[in-house]
Amino acid sequence: MQGFRYLDDTAILRLSVEKCIGCGNCLLVCPHRIFQVQDGKAEIVDRNACMECGACAKNCPTAAIYVNPDDGCGCAAYIINSWITKIRGKAASGCSC
Amino acid sequence: MTATLTLRDDLGSIGARTGFTRNNYKITPGLYCLGDAGKNSPVLVTANYKLSFDALRKELMGQNLWILVVDTRGINVWCAAGKGTFSAEEIAYQVQRAQLDQIVSHRELLLPQLSANGVAAHELKKLCGFRGRFGPILAADIPEFLRTGETSETMRTVTFSLRERAVLVPLEVCMTLKHLFVAAVVFFVLSGISPDFFSLGLALNRGTVLLLATLMAIFAGAAATPLLLPWLPFRQFWLKGAVVGAIAALLLFAGLPLTSSIEKIAIFLWVSGSSAFLAMNFTGSTPFTSLSGVAKEMRPGLAFQISSTVLAILFWVAGPFM
């Protein structure tokens, strides 16, 4: 993903070292390769590359990882629709992706 | 089924890529047999979006294997996983429905890596007796994965090459063009307002100018910005789009018969504001923007887009009165 960086210090991603058992699932599934496992524990090596896809959290057997749980796909149309929903109190059509 | 795509598949891809048939481009969920698949053949899992299915099978020429298509309502793997339709539960349901345990003797499902945000692989075994194993991101890497049984670091890293961005452009442009007819009516009405109430001549002349400027804005925000993405300044998409839109507006001034400076300001604001909006919408099509980041950039982005549009309308309508 060289050449593509999004906003720094924005993504919500937390890793609990106590809960981590070092299985390496997060390292395996991350599409931006931001984890590494060292001495039996996972660590985040490139936090700002996180896009909050949630693959690591979903595949963590001990729920040691927390990612921004709002669903959606980092998509402006989706956010606008959810704002409209809040204002109108009706279900949004969502984005088309 | 075969690994060869026919003309009809290619035409269908064009339909989906331009948005005409995109929301209903599905295939029937279930188990598909490729080549001479048998008891020991691998089982690949994919979504029932036909573009996903075609992308997968065309890379599997000469292979003997099973493809388990799960019901994602015609959505691609990654988005369906994000929305929760491509899930361990859905895979388990399709495994049982196809009675896969009687068809193959092994107990392993090969999953696309980009389904990991929806599929907890460690839960699959409990749900259906099959172990889930993540393969590469791209279908093109599957033959090598099947041969070596391993995925490299490159296969696990998502990319966003010029080619990958270019295939998204037709959809970005076509989705916008859908609204252009209504917009054109508004343009002609706004452009005709004159000191003598309404002038048809002005409506046609100035309306056409506004329409051309809008087409330029669409080109700037929905085509040029996505293509030039990594080389444009700023990280926030609306700023990238505003820059490209501003350059596009300046180029327009060379070709459009605009004489009054107030009209030029109006066009400049309209083109850069619309381009910024379209560029901001492109965040949803990229593989690296986080939801938190998009929410953050939308505040200044929308403020800019709304204020530039309001000012553009005021200046444009004021034109004939100056």
Side-chain angles (χ1 to χ4, degrees):
Chain A
M1 259 345 253
Q2 277 114 357
F4 296 99
R5 300 297 290 193
Y6 200 41
L7 315 184
D8 287 342
D9 306 320
T10 312
I12 302 169
L13 168 70
R14 285 194 287 274
L15 167 70
S16 156
V17 182
E18 297 86 73
K19 285 190 193 167
C20 177
I21 53 166
C23 71
N25 277 359
C26 52
L27 177 118
L28 189 75
V29 298
C30 176
H32 291 283
R33 319 308 295 149
I34 72 169
F35 294 94
Q36 78 181 30
V37 177
Q38 209 146 46
D39 305 326
K41 294 282 180 187
E43 60 180 311
I44 298 165
V45 286
D46 192 3
R47 173 179 296 276
N48 287 326
C50 175
M51 60 170 292
E52 299 177 336
C53 75
C56 52
K58 188 87 191 176
N59 280 279
C60 179
T62 58
I65 304 175
Y66 177 87
V67 179
N68 182 4
D70 284 346
D71 60 345
C73 35
C75 160
Y78 175 83
I79 296 174
I80 293 174
N81 277 330
S82 63
W83 286 350
I84 295 171
T85 315
K86 260 188 224 158
I87 296 163
R88 293 171 58 196
K90 271 206 288 189
S93 56
C95 59
S96 49
C97 49
Chain B
M1 56 165 283
T2 66
T4 322
L5 300 195
T6 63
L7 177 67
R8 206 172 145 212
D9 296 322
D10 291 333
L11 287 175
S13 299
I14 294 170
R17 288 291 190 191
T18 51
F20 289 106
T21 56
R22 177 167 174 261
N23 290 330
N24 197 24
Y25 199 50
K26 303 173 192 173
I27 58 160
T28 311
L31 190 66
Y32 290 76
C33 173
L34 182 69
D36 187 22
K39 274 197 165 311
N40 297 315
S41 306
V43 181
L44 302 180
V45 184
T46 194
N48 79 327
Y49 184 32
K50 192 164 182 295
L51 273 190
S52 307
F53 185 70
D54 286 352
L56 177 62
R57 69 187 169 115
K58 94 175 160 55
E59 301 296 342
L60 300 175
M61 193 74 76
Q63 306 267 4
N64 301 315
L65 45 78
W66 301 99
I67 299 178
L68 185 71
V69 177
V70 301
D71 188 3
T72 58
R73 285 151 217 164
I75 305 287
N76 70 70
V77 171
W78 208 3
C79 286
K83 286 169 194 284
T85 47
F86 199 127
S87 62
E89 289 76 13
E90 168 62 20
I91 295 171
Y93 171 75
Q94 295 296 346
V95 164
Q96 273 141 20
R97 211 175 68 107
Q99 299 185 310
L100 193 62
D101 56 344
Q102 291 168 35
I103 291 166
V104 294
S105 52
H106 64 82
R107 290 292 174 263
E108 185 179 70
L109 300 173
L110 302 176
L111 310 168
Q113 187 192 329
L114 292 186
S115 69
N117 53 328
V119 182
H122 56 274
E123 281 173 13
L124 266 177
K125 181 121 201 197
K126 270 181 286 175
L127 291 167
C128 63
F130 279 76
R131 202 175 79 89
R133 185 157 159 240
F134 290 110
I137 288 177
L138 294 177
D141 290 327
I142 290 175
E144 193 187 330
F145 169 65
L146 290 174
R147 204 166 49 244
T148 61
E150 275 169 39
T151 50
S152 65
E153 198 62 12
T154 325
M155 289 183 197
R156 294 214 166 273
T157 311
V158 81
T159 55
F160 204 33
S161 63
L162 181 63
R163 206 190 122 83
E164 287 169 310
R165 299 195 299 280
V167 296
L168 301 175
V169 167
L171 185 70
E172 298 292 321
V173 173
C174 292
M175 299 265 265
T176 312
L177 291 179
K178 266 199 249 179
H179 305 290
L180 203 61
F181 182 75
V182 180
V185 175
V186 177
F187 292 163
F188 285 99
V189 172
L190 282 178
S191 300
I193 298 170
S194 74
D196 342 304
F197 185 60
F198 194 84
S199 151
L200 199 60
L202 277 181
L204 287 176
N205 284 333
R206 297 176 75 234
T208 307
V209 169
L210 197 50
L211 195 60
L212 288 172
T214 306
L215 288 172
M216 190 66 162
I218 294 172
F219 172 75
T225 306
L227 292 175
L228 300 173
L229 201 65
W231 304 293
L232 295 171
F234 305 112
R235 289 196 179 175
Q236 304 201 3
F237 279 51
W238 73 272
L239 276 168
K240 288 178 187 279
V243 169
V244 179
I247 296 168
L250 295 177
L251 289 175
L252 267 178
F253 294 159
L256 287 182
L258 285 170
T259 44
S260 82
S261 48
I262 195 164
E263 283 186 334
K264 281 187 177 172
I265 296 171
I267 291 289
F268 184 84
L269 289 169
W270 171 242
V271 175
S272 54
S274 314
S275 174
F277 180 74
L278 293 169
M280 195 176 80
N281 266 330
F282 188 65
T283 51
S285 308
T286 75
F288 69 102
T289 54
S290 64
L291 190 64
S292 300
V294 178
K296 187 175 171 182
E297 79 158 85
M298 279 178 72
R299 287 166 206 285
L302 277 177
F304 169 74
Q305 289 143 22
I306 292 169
S307 50
S308 67
T309 303
V310 170
L311 285 173
I313 293 171
L314 286 176
F315 287 160
W316 188 251
V317 172
F321 294 87
M322 305 300 269

